[in-house]
Amino acid sequence: MNKTRKRLTLLTTTALLTALAILIPQVMPKIVIPPASFTLASHVPIMIAMLISPLAAVVVSLGSALGFLISGLPIEITFRAATHVIFALIGATFLWRHKSYTHGVKFQIFNVVIALIHTLAEVAIVYLLLTVGFSHLAGRNLGSLLLILSIGGFVHSLIDFNIALFLARAINKVYPLDIFKDELEK
């Protein structure tokens, strides 16, 4: 694939993943326990983008935050979505340098570390919003809110990244993006 075609393919793929990231908060089933919301597959486009490049991951993360903003969910949930840029950039940068972490046990270790970063960023922003009184939830039981958010968010992240990896592998077989370049060369 020539350089121009490859760039166009990456741009198109990033645009499609961004569109999905904006659409998912509007249409997918969700459980909302403010400040937590667990939207089915909401991280999947971001996590697929992490397998492509750091720039794709950041763009798709910003699209996801926009999707949550226009979804009508409480503002804390939009702020949580905005923190996805952090784990997406860290994870994508690591994967960009260490492609072997998209396989087996290494992937699951990576997934746990990324889920921890993801969860800590979300808990930190919610804690900040609640403690400065910006949130309409200020004054509620902070400990239980953060417990629901942290445990639920951690599990949600783990599940979504496994779904993302499965889908990325399936897509890559029919629409090669060099995501799993070493697999294609075998």
Side-chain angles (χ1 to χ4, degrees), residues 41-175:
S42 61
H43 306 109
V44 170
I46 297 167
M47 292 167 168
I48 292 173
M50 286 170 61
L51 298 167
I52 297 171
S53 77
L55 180 58
V58 168
V59 169
V60 176
S61 296
L62 293 172
S64 176
L66 175 63
F68 278 98
L69 177 65
I70 62 177
S71 72
L73 290 168
I75 195 67
E76 300 89 358
I77 295 169
T78 299
F79 276 100
R80 282 182 43 232
T83 69
H84 293 167
V85 171
I86 297 166
F87 86 82
L89 181 59
I90 292 168
T93 302
F94 180 83
L95 288 176
W96 190 257
R97 296 181 182 137
H98 304 92
K99 293 284 188 187
S100 67
Y101 278 81
T102 58
H103 306 286
V105 174
K106 281 185 175 182
F107 171 73
Q108 294 309 327
I109 292 168
F110 170 78
N111 193 8
V112 167
V113 171
I114 285 300
L116 285 171
I117 294 168
H118 178 177
T119 302
L120 288 172
E122 287 191 0
V123 167
I125 193 68
V126 169
Y127 179 79
L128 178 70
L129 293 172
L130 290 172
T131 56
V132 299
F134 181 77
S135 171
H136 72 284
L137 300 170
R140 300 215 7 224
N141 185 339
L142 183 63
S144 62
L145 289 174
L146 295 179
L147 185 65
I148 291 168
L149 181 62
S150 60
I151 293 171
F154 182 75
V155 171
H156 187 200
S157 183
L158 291 173
I159 292 168
D160 275 1
F161 214 153
N162 278 290
I163 293 169
L165 186 66
F166 174 81
L167 290 173
R169 286 182 193 279
I171 292 166
N172 200 54
K173 286 181 181 173
V174 293
Y175 184 64

